[in-house]
Amino acid sequence: MDNKGFFGNWGGAYIPEILHQTFQELHVEYQRAKNDPAFWQEYLHLMRTYSCRPTPLTYAENLSNHFGGARIFIKREDLNHTGAHKANNVMGQGLLVKRMGKKRVIAETGAGQHGMATATMAAKFGFDCTIYMGEVDVRRQRPNVFWMEKMGATVVPVKDGSRTLKDAINEAFRDWVTNIDSTHYVFGTACGPAPFPEMVTWFQSIISEETKEQIKELHGKLPARIYACVGGGSNAMGSFYHYLDTDTELVGVEAGGHGIDSGMHASRLCGTDASPGVAQGYKTMFLQNEDGQMLETHSVAAGLDYVGVSPILSDLWEKKQVRFEAATDKEVMAALDLTMKLEGIIPALESSHAFVQAFKEAPTIAKDEAIIINMSGRGDKDIFTIAHAYDDPSWKEFIISRAAEYSSKS
Amino acid sequence: MDNKGFFGNWGGAYIPEILHQTFQELHVEYQRAKNDPAFWQEYLHLMRTYSCRPTPLTYAENLSNHFGGARIFIKREDLNHTGAHKANNVMGQGLLVKRMGKKRVIAETGAGQHGMATATMAAKFGFDCTIYMGEVDVRRQRPNVFWMEKMGATVVPVKDGSRTLKDAINEAFRDWVTNIDSTHYVFGTACGPAPFPEMVTWFQSIISEETKEQIKELHGKLPARIYACVGGGSNAMGSFYHYLDTDTELVGVEAGGHGIDSGMHASRLCGTDASPGVAQGYKTMFLQNEDGQMLETHSVAAGLDYVGVSPILSDLWEKKQVRFEAATDKEVMAALDLTMKLEGIIPALESSHAFVQAFKEAPTIAKDEAIIINMSGRGDKDIFTIAHAYDDPSWKEFIISRAAEYSSKS
Amino acid sequence: MQLEQILRQRKEKKDILLMTHIVLGYPSFEANREIVRQMVENGVDCIEMQIPFSEPMADGPVILKANQDSLANGTTVAQCIAFGAEMAATYDIPFLFMTYYNILFKHGEDRFFTEAKEANIKGLIIPDLPPEMGENFFRLAKENEIAPILIFAPTSTQERMATLDSMGQGFIYCVARRGVTGKKSSFGDDFNEYLARCRNATRMPIAVGFGIQDKEDIEALKGRADMAVIGSQTIRLVDEQGPEAVGPFIQGLR
Amino acid sequence: MQLEQILRQRKEKKDILLMTHIVLGYPSFEANREIVRQMVENGVDCIEMQIPFSEPMADGPVILKANQDSLANGTTVAQCIAFGAEMAATYDIPFLFMTYYNILFKHGEDRFFTEAKEANIKGLIIPDLPPEMGENFFRLAKENEIAPILIFAPTSTQERMATLDSMGQGFIYCVARRGVTGKKSSFGDDFNEYLARCRNATRMPIAVGFGIQDKEDIEALKGRADMAVIGSQTIRLVDEQGPEAVGPFIQGLR
Ligand SMILES: Cc1ncc(COP(=O)(O)O)c(C=O)c1O
Ligand SMILES: Cc1ncc(COP(=O)(O)O)c(C=O)c1O
């Protein structure tokens, strides 16, 4: 990051003037934390005693044999508290908020994972908490909303625009400009105005800090490739970070939705539908029309269904340091299925995108090489989406009979 | 355990003759494993790389302050793979099954947790897998059934008796006597015929092996008390085991249901409704009538809703080495609520029973003492039960609208 | 006279003996009475009367359901013992109780044996009580002269059979196959070999049970076993055609 | 003539100037035309025309909805610029474009400035483009003599105000409070102190916006600000009573 928050041509901080001062303070606090070795130690202690870090690196023997190529290792962010890598970022920001002396946090959420993590952190740190969530997402992710509320957060359904993630981000910014003095906006991914992309990456880099040791222990050398799904880009940046200066090839997998040529996807760095733009406070590749209006995106995975992408990834893409691929909804369901059956592990729909690409490439990689799939989260909390996507008849019956019970009683 | 499988007056192996040989083999294999230090190392490696062990011991600062007494620590079995302590036992038995050269596993399940864990283990080890589950439980735990099936297990709804856990156990025994040669019955708790109570306890003792180190690191000395919920007794035995010869007071918390005097509960060692009996292969305190017929039990937590209890716990109860208490459904919901709000942690309904008793006692314990609550599992997979128990209106609306979608399409 | 002796005497006049099974209180004690009458009148040699238990782990679906329905009707252990006494007083064949160990344990083993003896019950079959677990039980059985009937299984080793033989009385119950009651067994080479092993391991009469359903099955056992056990099949019959179908069925078996 | 000069001239004859706001294409360009006509005829001194953007992060619900509806109607940037040109050619007051940076960026900044200049647009308000991010933008603004209007916020330090003052042209837009457009502000002591700070920090005219809704608000600003900005209030009015209500409303403001 240069001193204006750019990574090559990307990033920056395109923020309303009212936030200028707040961002100054955030920059200062972040730099102070970065330069204070005790801060990272405090962070590690928190993650170790509250959130099960280091998360395991699992050798997927059955999948490896099945594909007959590279040794497949899975980084298990599903076992992180709240079920995804999101907690890494959120807990880190929680420590910063404590240092800044603020008493209230807000966050946007799409899949609900980041909202869950933020509500959790707020409960743990004793902060007030408001979560903005597109109305569409509130509807598809009701269980997450339920838990956020139970942890004491206020969940506000956002009824503007496409009523999904990007609109929740806009709404969170609106709250922030109104309540800057008391409030910190816990940005959920490596996007947004500087210093968020770098800061979120820093917290998420705990993933690659761990895998680098783990893979050496389990495999004796660094992996040939690492695969991560790319929504905003935080789990990808986190799992790539400490390999950027190594020979390991880094592969980001975007949401191919109904296909990269269908217009129904969320692929920004793979494919040709995106173009450079500035929105939500930063410059990156956006899915937008000729006039710069953002397009609707599509993915079976709510957490990948986003118009922008980390400016750091745009930079690495431009510099060809990270390769980008896309996985379609259909491929994702198949990879999920195989992983459950062969390894007894349930990746989130988001994470399953990374599995798709790894499965495509594993057979072509030598048997003495390792690849790591970053399993960003667990899928069991997505039961409503996954059972629905599988069109499971007993699930439907179950829901219908539950509903009948509720209707007759109310 | 004496050589007939008794702990004091309790335990034994009351099994049909057809199983005699199988139990002999199991005894031999178990002893061999116990005496082979490499086995435990293999087990630890598996748990460390596949299941996030050691799970954290979390200092619950907010709860501690709230109650103003003992320092409350929470052992986080919720972060174990599949979301509960059940995996400890199942993975261990999986390793044994591999050694015995069997290719098929069966299990009973009540809450679905043990079934999930077994289906997971079977996928990981490449075993065929059949799960027996009372029809009532299949209905209340459909999400678990969905995942078990996705992991390749066959889930058989049991339509006999009370159609809950004990009937699933009977049915699993029926399968076993039919398929002894190929099949191992992965018993889910520290009950059943010897060597199950001891063997399950052995695998679960990994919990107290870990906490003993962790509490010394975080608190400098052993805890004053440890609280664990008691269904069959496996998480309790696991979290007590390495403290049995220490000054730490051990407290088991049973399901008080609608109240210990209501007849609607599952308290066997606390209260006066249970009496010694022999069923499901072992002798213990059962909730039964004058004629020895088992009674219906009640608990908001499916995993505690069982007529029997570990014979090892009956022995420790008789010898007053473990104190038993009960928590009512209502108290459980309140403790769950408080824990979510203050710590950002969602205990399973089962585990919440342990929290209830710890909360009652914490204020009376000196501030320089620690207590450990064994959080046996996570509650977020119980969304259907918990949202229902809270009578949450948005949840009902959500289910009704989902159902409407399914009804209109089918 | 004790059970083994009674059976030996009866066997003198027949190719093979027949033991049948009922679940007490199912469908009702009234029906039990009628069924027993038809059984005895049609030449059954021994009847095992199952005292229902809520957790019949070794029984298959037919008997399991009968246990449950009987309990749902309110059947008690006391009623069962009384009924057993009534039958033993009425008919001149040996009656046994079959049940699970908890029924005795909870009733009090002493008391159970005393009452069973008073009822003139000749033997007990307790499928979940292996000899290792039954020290008191076997002592009481001996004292009360009630035969503790033990089971050979296809998985039993020679050594195990020897142990069982040394502890059991009355006869040895050879289960024909792996599994629970109520499913058809096939009597192939494996079975013959198993039965030979059983015969070698004991000098008591041997009964064969589990899945014996018709005349053909019984024919196959003649000369190799002393007694054939008809279990679930009569319950099915009563369910479908009522108690009066039992007589003709039994008659048709030899 | 450049924006600052125009405003100073107009200010000579008035206690306070009035700037109003419209969202282009909302409810329609037709309606925009009528609204602008009524505004100008009733003495508005400057109009900011918002080119709609799909992500208007600094706008409150009223303007947000107007942006979305306009885009849903199919409003394009080209239409907006053409409309701006038409207005500037028709009326003798300065017209500004207000929009978010991506509209310029995607259109091409060069091209946007060229077209805006051709349209005789006097200034640009881009709330998400702080001076640090706009090197090219400020260069082009200077070259094309279009005023880049910058914003003072209640959170701005003296130092920050100095920076903004040095980069901005035309006037300084002082937002009256924290938050987004469309909510009522209160003009208490804090506000007066803030306005004094603003006045001290710049020699340009100062406009006050965010939440100005009626004559009373405007009275309160007289003598302290050079221009009052009416934003969401006219949109609400048009929504409720149609474009013809705008004239009387404006007239009633002073
Ligand atoms: C499990 C999981 N993986 C991945 C993502 C995508 O986010 P990112 O690209 O920032 O890792 C999300 C977002 O919600 C998620 O929940
Ligand atoms: C989370 C959890 N805790 C506790 C239990 C009770 O079992 P046990 O007493 O064997 O630990 C269960 C059983 O399903 C469970 O799922």
Side-chain angles (χ1 to χ4, degrees):
Chain A
M1 186 171 77
D2 67 17
N3 66 357
K4 288 186 179 172
F6 282 88
F7 302 85
N9 298 312
W10 313 95
Y14 296 82
I15 50 171
E17 195 54 38
I18 189 101
L19 290 176
H20 179 82
Q21 195 52 27
T22 294
F23 270 85
Q24 290 293 101
E25 287 160 24
L26 185 58
H27 269 287
V28 167
E29 202 62 50
Y30 166 57
Q31 285 308 331
R32 201 179 290 160
K34 257 202 102 160
N35 295 329
D36 175 3
F39 181 86
W40 192 255
Q41 286 312 312
E42 184 184 358
Y43 174 64
L44 288 183
H45 180 81
L46 176 66
M47 297 314 283
R48 187 166 67 84
T49 61
Y50 185 66
S51 199
C52 219
R53 302 214 72 93
T55 57
L57 185 67
T58 300
Y59 174 45
E61 187 172 2
N62 301 332
L63 284 171
S64 303
N65 292 340
H66 181 82
F67 288 108
R71 301 180 72 202
I72 301 175
F73 289 85
I74 301 174
K75 178 60 171 171
R76 303 289 301 284
E77 294 301 300
D78 58 313
L79 295 171
N80 212 8
H81 184 43
T82 74
H85 69 294
K86 294 285 178 190
N88 303 337
N89 167 38
V90 164
M91 292 298 153
Q93 291 199 41
L95 290 176
L96 272 188
V97 174
K98 222 171 68 173
R99 285 183 161 222
M100 291 189 287
K102 294 192 171 181
K103 293 273 177 264
R104 176 173 180 264
V105 291
I106 59 174
E108 86 292 348
T109 197
Q113 268 309 111
H114 176 58
M116 274 289 281
T118 305
T120 299
M121 176 275 276
K124 169 88 177 156
F125 284 101
F127 302 143
D128 282 339
C129 179
T130 300
I131 304 293
Y132 292 93
M133 189 166 182
E135 197 183 32
V136 170
D137 291 327
V138 168
R139 248 187 266 128
R140 25 183 200 192
Q141 310 281 342
R142 169 61 57 184
N144 286 330
V145 175
F146 176 80
W147 296 120
M148 288 186 253
E149 290 178 346
K150 280 289 158 211
M151 286 187 289
T154 305
V155 180
V156 179
V158 177
K159 299 179 184 181
D160 310 309
S162 57
R163 293 168 299 144
T164 60
L165 181 58
K166 72 175 180 53
D167 310 286
I169 292 178
N170 291 333
E171 203 57 31
F173 271 116
R174 289 185 193 106
D175 179 317
W176 205 12
V177 298
T178 311
N179 302 295
I180 3 168
D181 306 314
S182 64
T183 300
H184 174 71
Y185 177 7
V186 184
F187 211 84
T189 186
C191 291
F196 281 118
E198 192 192 270
M199 186 169 79
V200 174
T201 296
W202 185 47
F203 291 127
Q204 293 293 0
S205 74
I206 194 171
I207 300 173
S208 46
E209 184 173 307
E210 290 172 4
T211 61
K212 221 168 164 180
E213 284 210 6
Q214 290 170 322
I215 196 73
K216 279 185 195 153
E217 182 203 328
L218 296 173
H219 179 66
K221 60 178 180 181
L222 294 188
R225 297 180 199 169
I226 299 176
Y227 299 85
C229 68
V230 180
S234 68
N235 89 85
M237 278 312 304
S239 54
F240 295 166
Y241 189 78
H242 287 284
Y243 295 90
L244 280 170
D245 52 0
T246 70
D247 288 340
T248 300
E249 188 182 6
L250 307 173
V251 185
V253 188
E254 296 185 287
H258 293 184
I260 199 91
D261 301 322
S262 68
M264 299 275 287
H265 62 76
S267 299
R268 294 116 333 161
L269 298 177
C270 170
T272 55
D273 286 0
S275 59
V278 175
Q280 311 207 304
Y282 68 110
K283 186 187 286 181
T284 198
M285 293 290 284
F286 281 103
L287 287 163
Q288 55 182 335
N289 71 11
E290 293 285 287
D291 262 4
Q293 311 295 354
M294 298 300 142
L295 297 174
E296 299 245 337
T297 52
H298 170 83
S299 170
V300 67
L304 303 185
D305 202 357
Y306 178 53
V307 289
V309 64
S310 176
I312 314 184
L313 286 174
S314 289
D315 184 44
L316 293 168
W317 162 74
E318 206 171 39
K319 294 180 174 146
K320 300 208 162 38
Q321 287 186 264
V322 175
R323 170 158 60 91
F324 287 87
E325 306 285 351
T328 65
D329 290 353
K330 230 169 140 178
E331 292 170 328
V332 160
M333 297 312 290
L336 170 58
D337 217 58
L338 191 70
T339 307
M340 290 191 286
K341 291 238 159 43
L342 290 190
E343 299 291 345
I345 284 173
I346 309 175
L349 287 170
E350 290 79 9
S351 322
S352 298
H353 285 71
F355 284 74
V356 168
Q357 192 61 30
F359 292 173
K360 285 183 190 165
E361 301 182 12
T364 69
I365 301 173
K367 285 189 184 191
D368 60 349
E369 296 292 344
I371 61 178
I372 294 178
I373 303 171
N374 192 47
M375 177 164 162
S376 53
R378 57 178 152 90
D380 66 337
K381 58 182 180 53
D382 292 342
I383 175 100
F384 281 92
T385 319
I386 294 182
H388 184 83
Y390 278 117
D391 207 28
D392 185 76
S394 331
W395 173 255
K396 290 185 185 177
E397 258 171 53
F398 168 64
I399 294 295
I400 291 171
S401 80
R402 271 299 162 111
E405 216 177 289
Y406 288 148
S407 310
S408 68
K409 274 187 202 153
S410 60
Chain B
M1 185 170 79
D2 67 16
N3 65 356
K4 287 185 178 172
F6 282 88
F7 302 86
N9 298 311
W10 313 95
Y14 296 83
I15 48 170
E17 195 54 39
I18 188 101
L19 290 176
H20 180 82
Q21 196 52 30
T22 294
F23 270 85
Q24 290 293 103
E25 287 161 23
L26 185 59
H27 269 288
V28 168
E29 202 61 51
Y30 166 57
Q31 285 307 330
R32 201 178 290 159
K34 258 201 100 159
N35 295 330
D36 176 3
F39 181 85
W40 192 256
Q41 286 311 312
E42 184 183 359
Y43 174 64
L44 288 183
H45 179 81
L46 175 66
M47 297 313 282
R48 187 167 66 85
T49 62
Y50 185 66
S51 199
C52 218
R53 300 214 73 92
T55 57
L57 184 67
T58 300
Y59 174 46
E61 188 173 1
N62 301 333
L63 284 170
S64 304
N65 292 339
H66 181 80
F67 290 107
R71 301 180 73 201
I72 301 175
F73 289 85
I74 301 174
K75 177 62 171 168
R76 303 289 302 283
E77 294 301 301
D78 59 311
L79 295 171
N80 212 9
H81 184 43
T82 74
H85 70 294
K86 294 285 177 190
N88 303 337
N89 167 38
V90 164
M91 292 297 151
Q93 291 200 40
L95 289 175
L96 273 188
V97 174
K98 223 172 67 175
R99 284 181 162 222
M100 291 190 287
K102 294 194 170 180
K103 294 272 176 267
R104 177 172 179 265
V105 291
I106 59 174
E108 85 293 347
T109 196
Q113 268 309 111
H114 176 58
M116 273 289 282
T118 304
T120 298
M121 177 273 275
K124 169 88 179 159
F125 283 102
F127 303 142
D128 283 339
C129 179
T130 300
I131 304 293
Y132 292 94
M133 190 166 181
E135 198 184 31
V136 170
D137 290 327
V138 167
R139 248 187 266 130
R140 22 183 203 193
Q141 310 282 343
R142 168 62 54 184
N144 286 329
V145 175
F146 177 81
W147 296 120
M148 288 186 252
E149 289 178 348
K150 282 289 157 206
M151 286 187 289
T154 304
V155 179
V156 179
V158 177
K159 299 179 185 184
D160 311 309
S162 57
R163 294 168 299 147
T164 60
L165 181 59
K166 72 175 177 56
D167 311 285
I169 292 178
N170 291 333
E171 203 58 32
F173 271 116
R174 290 184 191 107
D175 179 316
W176 205 11
V177 298
T178 312
N179 302 294
I180 4 173
D181 307 315
S182 65
T183 299
H184 175 71
Y185 177 7
V186 184
F187 210 84
T189 186
C191 291
F196 281 117
E198 193 192 89
M199 186 169 80
V200 174
T201 295
W202 185 47
F203 289 126
Q204 293 293 359
S205 74
I206 194 171
I207 300 173
S208 46
E209 184 172 307
E210 290 172 3
T211 61
K212 222 167 163 181
E213 284 212 6
Q214 290 168 322
I215 195 72
K216 279 185 195 154
E217 182 203 330
L218 296 174
H219 179 65
K221 60 177 180 181
L222 295 188
R225 297 181 198 168
I226 299 176
Y227 300 85
C229 68
V230 180
S234 68
N235 89 83
M237 279 311 305
S239 54
F240 295 166
Y241 189 77
H242 288 283
Y243 295 90
L244 280 169
D245 53 0
T246 70
D247 288 340
T248 300
E249 187 181 8
L250 306 172
V251 186
V253 188
E254 297 186 287
H258 293 185
I260 201 90
D261 302 320
S262 66
M264 300 274 286
H265 62 76
S267 298
R268 294 115 334 160
L269 298 178
C270 170
T272 55
D273 286 359
S275 59
V278 175
Q280 312 208 303
Y282 67 112
K283 186 187 284 180
T284 197
M285 293 291 283
F286 282 103
L287 287 164
Q288 54 182 336
N289 71 12
E290 295 283 287
D291 262 3
Q293 312 296 355
M294 297 301 142
L295 296 174
E296 299 244 335
T297 51
H298 169 84
S299 171
V300 67
L304 303 186
D305 202 358
Y306 177 53
V307 289
V309 64
S310 176
I312 314 184
L313 285 174
S314 288
D315 185 44
L316 294 169
W317 162 75
E318 206 171 39
K319 294 180 174 145
K320 301 209 162 32
Q321 287 187 263
V322 175
R323 169 160 60 91
F324 288 86
E325 305 285 351
T328 65
D329 291 354
K330 230 168 138 180
E331 291 170 328
V332 159
M333 297 312 290
L336 170 58
D337 217 59
L338 190 70
T339 307
M340 292 192 285
K341 291 238 158 44
L342 290 190
E343 298 292 345
I345 285 173
I346 310 174
L349 288 169
E350 288 81 7
S351 322
S352 299
H353 284 70
F355 285 73
V356 168
Q357 191 61 29
F359 292 172
K360 285 182 191 167
E361 301 182 13
T364 69
I365 301 173
K367 285 189 183 191
D368 61 347
E369 296 292 342
I371 61 178
I372 295 178
I373 303 171
N374 191 46
M375 176 164 162
S376 54
R378 58 176 150 92
D380 65 337
K381 58 181 179 48
D382 292 341
I383 175 96
F384 281 92
T385 319
I386 294 182
H388 184 83
Y390 278 117
D391 206 28
D392 185 76
S394 331
W395 172 256
K396 291 184 185 178
E397 257 171 55
F398 168 65
I399 294 295
I400 291 172
S401 80
R402 270 299 161 111
E405 215 177 290
Y406 288 148
S407 310
S408 68
K409 274 188 201 153
S410 60
Chain C
M1 206 161 36
Q2 289 198 18
L3 181 59
E4 180 172 346
Q5 211 180 336
I6 301 173
L7 294 178
R8 291 209 184 280
Q9 282 190 3
R10 296 187 77 97
K11 181 75 200 308
E12 279 165 19
K13 291 164 245 156
K14 297 184 180 176
D15 292 345
I16 191 160
L17 302 179
L18 265 191
M19 178 163 93
T20 50
H21 170 275
I22 62 171
V23 173
L24 294 173
Y26 181 82
S28 66
F29 282 107
E30 213 41 63
N32 287 155
R33 249 180 219 102
E34 175 60 18
I35 294 163
V36 169
R37 190 182 63 79
Q38 300 213 11
M39 286 173 171
V40 178
E41 286 178 359
N42 287 282
V44 159
D45 301 282
C46 182
I47 296 179
E48 57 170 326
M49 300 177 294
Q50 181 163 359
I51 303 175
F53 179 44
S54 56
E55 322 299 314
M57 66 146 61
D59 283 299
V62 172
I63 296 181
L64 169 61
K65 179 173 167 299
N67 273 261
Q68 285 167 6
D69 289 1
S70 174
L71 291 175
N73 290 343
T75 300
T76 64
V77 174
Q79 286 172 338
C80 293
I81 295 173
F83 183 87
E86 179 190 331
M87 293 303 104
T90 310
Y91 302 108
D92 187 26
I93 62 163
F95 285 88
L96 320 176
F97 278 141
M98 180 273 183
T99 193
Y100 290 83
Y101 182 56
N102 200 45
I103 297 296
L104 282 75
F105 180 78
K106 183 69 183 166
H107 201 73
E109 286 184 279
D110 269 306
R111 178 178 160 211
F112 190 94
F113 270 101
T114 307
E115 293 177 10
K117 190 187 174 97
E118 274 169 22
N120 205 19
I121 294 300
K122 294 294 176 193
L124 291 178
I125 304 176
I126 314 292
D128 64 344
L129 190 73
E132 299 76 18
M133 296 293 121
E135 212 172 307
N136 200 41
F137 176 89
F138 286 94
R139 189 179 48 73
L140 288 168
K142 191 168 251 169
E143 283 173 25
N144 291 283
E145 300 190 325
I146 293 179
I149 293 144
L150 292 186
I151 294 169
F152 283 1
T155 51
S156 305
T157 59
Q158 289 315 109
E159 197 192 340
R160 181 65 181 169
M161 284 182 177
T163 307
L164 295 166
D165 176 55
S166 74
M167 303 286 291
Q169 295 288 332
F171 63 91
I172 288 287
Y173 191 131
C174 304
V175 306
R177 52 163 172 74
R178 289 155 174 77
V180 289
T181 54
K183 271 183 230 152
K184 178 100 185 141
S185 297
S186 68
F187 303 120
D189 285 351
D190 280 2
F191 175 71
N192 289 337
E193 194 231 321
Y194 161 59
L195 218 55
R197 283 207 300 124
C198 293
R199 183 62 90 190
N200 265 334
T202 185
R203 300 170 69 175
M204 280 184 272
I206 62 176
V208 173
F210 276 42
I212 294 175
Q213 301 191 338
D214 53 29
K215 192 181 166 114
E216 203 184 327
D217 291 342
I218 290 170
E219 281 304 321
L221 291 177
K222 280 186 187 164
R224 303 215 225 102
D226 302 298
M227 183 154 74
V229 186
I230 306 281
S232 313
Q233 193 60 6
T234 46
I235 297 188
R236 266 192 215 106
L237 198 69
V238 173
D239 282 351
E240 286 162 17
Q241 304 174 31
E244 51 287 354
V246 172
F249 168 69
I250 299 289
Q251 212 165 29
L253 286 177
R254 9 185 197 209
Chain D
M1 208 166 23
Q2 291 197 19
L3 182 59
E4 180 174 342
Q5 211 181 334
I6 300 173
L7 295 179
R8 288 208 186 280
Q9 281 191 2
R10 298 186 77 95
K11 180 76 200 312
E12 281 167 17
K13 288 164 250 156
K14 299 182 181 180
D15 292 343
I16 193 160
L17 303 179
L18 264 191
M19 179 163 93
T20 50
H21 170 276
I22 62 172
V23 173
L24 294 174
Y26 180 81
S28 67
F29 283 107
E30 213 39 63
N32 287 154
R33 243 177 225 106
E34 176 58 18
I35 294 163
V36 169
R37 189 180 66 77
Q38 299 212 12
M39 286 173 170
V40 177
E41 285 179 1
N42 287 283
V44 159
D45 300 285
C46 182
I47 296 180
E48 56 169 329
M49 300 177 293
Q50 181 164 359
I51 303 175
F53 180 46
S54 57
E55 320 301 313
M57 65 145 65
D59 282 299
V62 172
I63 296 180
L64 169 61
K65 180 174 166 295
N67 273 261
Q68 285 167 5
D69 289 1
S70 174
L71 291 174
N73 290 342
T75 301
T76 64
V77 175
Q79 286 172 340
C80 292
I81 295 175
F83 183 88
E86 180 191 329
M87 292 303 106
T90 309
Y91 301 107
D92 186 27
I93 63 164
F95 285 87
L96 320 176
F97 279 140
M98 181 272 181
T99 193
Y100 289 83
Y101 182 56
N102 200 45
I103 298 297
L104 281 75
F105 180 79
K106 183 70 183 167
H107 201 73
E109 286 185 280
D110 269 308
R111 178 177 160 213
F112 190 93
F113 269 101
T114 307
E115 293 176 12
K117 189 186 172 100
E118 274 169 22
N120 204 17
I121 293 301
K122 294 295 177 193
L124 292 177
I125 304 175
I126 313 293
D128 64 345
L129 190 72
E132 299 75 20
M133 296 292 121
E135 212 172 308
N136 201 39
F137 175 90
F138 286 94
R139 189 180 47 73
L140 288 168
K142 190 168 252 170
E143 283 173 23
N144 290 285
E145 299 190 325
I146 293 179
I149 293 144
L150 292 185
I151 294 168
F152 283 1
T155 52
S156 305
T157 59
Q158 289 313 109
E159 198 192 336
R160 182 64 181 170
M161 284 183 179
T163 307
L164 295 166
D165 177 55
S166 74
M167 304 286 291
Q169 295 289 332
F171 63 91
I172 289 288
Y173 192 130
C174 303
V175 307
R177 53 164 169 74
R178 290 155 174 77
V180 290
T181 54
K183 272 183 228 153
K184 179 99 183 141
S185 298
S186 67
F187 304 120
D189 286 350
D190 280 2
F191 176 72
N192 289 337
E193 193 230 320
Y194 159 58
L195 218 55
R197 284 207 298 124
C198 294
R199 183 62 90 189
N200 265 334
T202 185
R203 299 170 70 173
M204 280 184 272
I206 62 176
V208 174
F210 275 43
I212 293 175
Q213 302 191 337
D214 53 27
K215 192 179 164 117
E216 203 184 328
D217 292 342
I218 290 170
E219 281 303 320
L221 290 175
K222 279 184 187 164
R224 302 214 225 103
D226 301 298
M227 185 155 70
V229 186
I230 307 280
S232 313
Q233 193 60 6
T234 46
I235 298 189
R236 266 191 215 107
L237 199 68
V238 172
D239 282 351
E240 286 162 17
Q241 306 176 28
E244 51 288 355
V246 172
F249 169 68
I250 299 289
Q251 211 164 29
L253 287 177
R254 15 185 192 206

